[in-house]
Amino acid sequence: MASLLNDTGTPIVLTPAGVSSRPKMDHKPGPLAAVIFFGLLAAGLLFSGYSLVSDISDAGTRVTTYLPFILLGVALLIALGFEFVNGFHDTANAVATVIYTHSLPPNFAVVWSGFFNFLGVLTSSGAVAFGIISLLPVELILQVGSSAGFAMVFALLIAAIIWNLGTWWLGLPASSSHTLIGSIIGVGVANALMHGRDGTSGVDWAQATKVGYSLLLSPLVGFGCAALLLLALRAFVKNKALYQEPHGKTPPPWWIRGLLILTCTGVSFAHGSNDGQKGMGLIMLILVGTVPMAYALNRAMPVDHMTQFVAVAQVTQTSLAKAAPSASVADPRQVVSTYVRTKTLTPEVIPALAALAGSVGEQVKSHGSLARVPAEAVGNVRNDMYLASEAIRFIEKDPKITLDADTKANLKAFKKEIDDATKFIPLWVKVAVAIALGLGTMVGWKRIVVTVGEKIGKTHLTYAQGASAEVVAMLTIGAADMYGLPVSTTHVLSSGVAGTMAANKSGLQMSTIRNLAMAWVLTMPVAICLSGGLYWLFVQVF
């Protein structure tokens, strides 16, 4: 076979007939595509703006100054910008294999992926969104509407955008999850140092370790499982065409083509469901800080549910008081806040949590429903609920705390009630993030697609390699979403392609592998330094 070099310096493999098997990705979208793109963008902005104004009006928020709303608008644009740039990287994870196996035309594949990213965001559970928030310093979450709270949000989002854009420009598949979590750690460390504490005290390291393991293991799972799946296909499916590079623009056999399209769809949907939630969680944090009357508490919870809420709070208070009957606490909120921040168990923690549970129940009972909580009390009610929920999460995992089965069941029920009251995502937030992520997938896809499709292995991607990598990516990301873990879509897919190349003995382009490994290793420390520095700067500015 003849070989030429394309504009990226990568060999173009020619079939005996002289037809390149490299997909044509230089076709420019027509005017209709531009109209649809900007139409969707305008529709998303209008719907979000209308919903936001309606929610604020329905909550009876009084406007005394427009500064918080200006900050809200800027913060929302930055958060949606993060999701838009996120799409630059992660389109490649879904479409590279269907493009390089000629299962779908490039532009159609990108639109297809964007649509299912959109659907994935809309149907997401929210578990990942609030898992990300739990990594943030507790004092900044409790005072998210303060200048330090805004500095935190701006710093971590801008740091993540800078790194994502830089790696995208270089054509390196980098992890948006890795980047955002590094940015969160950077803010936490900087905040602790600025308050004279040990930098390690500014981060929930147990949760960060759990997330870190998922990010560390996901590329290893992608590499190993994709390689094993390819070897299994070779053992049980003897169709030689599956293990050879495509001839010209010939699509694969119908069943493997269907599998590739199905997995492309699944990866796009799973990516939207997992990665889209990161922006949602931060947007909710922004909304709680700027317009707490509308978004600090779930005003949609029905009035008749409040009786159950109050009853569960009272039962939980009684159970905890029996578990630690002798201790008395002067300031329960401060004791629980210190425990959530330091994870240091003292004799006052359980009775303080009991008092806090009783206080939350009494506050809800006195107002009748969450929608009737007055503006001056909303912040305190939500903060008490947040502290109680986080304290219960740590108590459930603390081996030093022994509670009877009834008390554990009551704590679990109470946590569910307060999470339903505080951890919710309005439809318009999901729509805004879905549109930002979906449109982002349609814009900056080519650089990363070329890297995944041409620069990882030394040969053209075969049908079986594409299917193996995509199946593993889809299942890994879907499983992570079920357990509320943020994983790197980028690392799972690109390592899966590398695994199939290794299993197929096709050879790996070590320069690309080194660059990918370097980006993987540097993402966390660079994001930590960037966000920590920006947080310090923004605190001085604000």
Side-chain angles (χ1 to χ4, degrees):
M1 293 187 180
S3 177
L4 299 174
L5 295 179
N6 61 24
D7 54 358
T8 65
T10 304
I12 301 176
V13 180
L14 301 179
T15 65
V19 179
S20 171
S21 59
R22 184 177 189 263
K24 186 177 181 180
M25 293 180 287
D26 299 323
H27 178 71
K28 301 296 183 183
L32 179 60
V35 169
I36 294 173
F37 181 92
F38 288 107
L40 287 172
L41 181 62
L45 290 174
L46 288 173
F47 176 70
S48 300
Y50 173 78
S51 300
L52 179 61
V53 171
S54 296
D55 288 347
I56 293 173
S57 177
D58 292 342
T61 303
R62 290 178 295 178
V63 179
T64 56
T65 174
Y66 286 98
L67 179 59
F69 296 98
I70 294 172
L71 288 174
L72 170 61
V74 173
L76 287 178
L77 287 176
I78 294 174
L80 293 174
F82 165 74
E83 287 296 348
F84 187 78
V85 174
N86 188 0
F88 287 15
H89 275 275
D90 290 316
T91 317
N93 308 312
V95 303
T97 54
V98 291
I99 289 175
Y100 275 87
T101 56
H102 308 298
S103 298
L104 289 175
N107 287 328
F108 182 85
V110 169
V111 173
W112 181 267
S113 174
F115 176 71
F116 281 96
N117 264 284
F118 177 88
L119 291 183
V121 177
L122 288 184
T123 58
S124 58
S125 63
V128 173
F130 296 106
I132 289 287
I133 288 179
S134 66
L135 292 172
L136 293 166
V138 61
E139 61 266 33
L140 292 183
I141 293 178
L142 297 179
Q143 301 175 19
V144 70
S146 65
S147 58
F150 277 107
M152 169 187 70
V153 173
F154 287 151
L156 65 91
L157 283 173
I158 291 173
I161 290 172
I162 290 172
W163 181 250
N164 279 347
L165 279 176
T167 51
W168 165 80
W169 183 257
L170 295 173
L172 295 175
S175 168
S176 298
S177 302
H178 237 138
T179 307
L180 184 58
I181 290 165
S183 298
I184 289 172
I185 292 174
V187 167
V189 170
N191 181 67
L193 292 174
M194 290 169 66
H195 286 84
R197 301 195 304 267
D198 181 359
T200 59
S201 68
V203 179
D204 179 357
W205 290 109
Q207 181 73 0
T209 302
K210 178 182 174 183
V211 170
Y213 278 136
S214 72
L215 292 172
L216 176 66
L217 292 176
S218 54
L220 302 179
V221 169
F223 186 96
C225 291
L228 291 174
L229 183 56
L230 180 67
L231 293 175
L233 276 175
R234 278 189 169 278
F236 294 105
V237 182
K238 300 299 185 180
N239 187 339
K240 290 184 178 180
L242 298 180
Y243 313 106
Q244 298 172 351
E245 68 180 64
H247 292 287
K249 301 297 188 292
T250 305
W254 68 268
W255 65 272
I256 199 76
R257 185 180 191 182
L259 178 62
L260 283 162
I261 294 173
L262 177 65
T263 52
C264 165
T265 305
V267 169
S268 300
F269 185 86
H271 169 252
S273 180
N274 193 285
D275 278 43
Q277 293 190 54
K278 296 155 194 168
M280 286 184 214
L282 294 171
I283 286 174
M284 288 308 300
L285 205 60
I286 295 165
L287 292 171
V288 168
T290 49
V291 278
M293 191 63 189
Y295 297 106
L297 300 173
N298 188 356
R299 297 169 54 84
M301 285 187 72
V303 176
D304 56 6
H305 186 75
M306 293 300 100
T307 302
Q308 176 181 325
F309 185 103
V310 173
V312 171
Q314 291 173 343
V315 170
T316 302
Q317 179 186 20
T318 303
S319 296
L320 291 172
K322 289 179 180 178
S326 58
S328 60
V329 182
D331 188 351
R333 182 185 294 169
Q334 183 58 44
V335 171
V336 175
S337 177
T338 302
Y339 172 64
V340 170
R341 179 171 58 82
T342 64
K343 319 301 179 296
T344 302
L345 182 66
T346 63
E348 292 80 20
V349 169
I350 298 297
L353 181 58
L356 199 62
S359 173
V360 167
E362 286 300 319
Q363 290 178 83
V364 172
K365 181 180 179 181
S366 66
H367 300 301
S369 75
L370 298 182
R372 295 175 189 163
V373 177
E376 60 272 14
V378 164
N380 285 338
V381 173
R382 184 188 182 279
N383 284 349
D384 287 351
M385 289 183 177
Y386 173 79
L387 287 173
S389 176
E390 290 297 286
I392 292 171
R393 179 166 69 87
F394 295 131
I395 285 171
E396 289 175 337
K397 299 176 182 178
D398 194 331
K400 297 189 293 293
I401 299 177
T402 55
L403 299 171
D404 59 67
D406 286 343
T407 302
K408 289 180 179 178
N410 291 333
L411 280 174
K412 186 175 182 179
F414 184 52
K415 186 176 188 304
K416 183 180 184 307
E417 292 291 337
I418 54 183
D419 284 351
D420 288 344
T422 56
K423 297 181 178 181
F424 66 100
I425 300 174
L427 176 61
W428 73 264
V429 173
K430 288 189 174 186
V431 170
V433 170
I435 290 176
L437 187 62
L439 293 181
T441 63
M442 301 179 193
V443 174
W445 56 275
K446 185 179 174 182
R447 290 177 182 272
I448 310 298
V449 165
V450 170
T451 297
V452 173
E454 299 181 19
K455 297 183 179 181
I456 292 178
K458 291 183 178 179
T459 62
H460 195 289
L461 197 70
T462 67
Y463 305 134
Q465 287 174 319
S468 299
E470 284 282 14
V471 167
V472 169
M474 180 180 72
L475 295 178
T476 303
I477 299 162
D481 190 39
M482 288 174 58
Y483 291 100
L485 293 172
V487 298
S488 169
T489 312
T490 303
H491 289 158
V492 173
L493 195 281
S494 56
S495 62
V497 171
T500 63
M501 290 290 175
N504 204 43
K505 298 181 180 179
S506 305
L508 295 170
Q509 297 191 45
M510 296 313 298
S511 61
T512 301
I513 300 299
R514 280 194 298 270
N515 289 338
L516 293 177
M518 187 67 70
W520 184 46
V521 169
L522 289 179
T523 292
M524 287 284 277
V526 169
I528 289 171
C529 294
L530 265 177
S531 65
L534 287 172
Y535 175 71
W536 177 86
L537 175 64
F538 291 156
V539 166
Q540 310 308 313
V541 171
F542 282 124

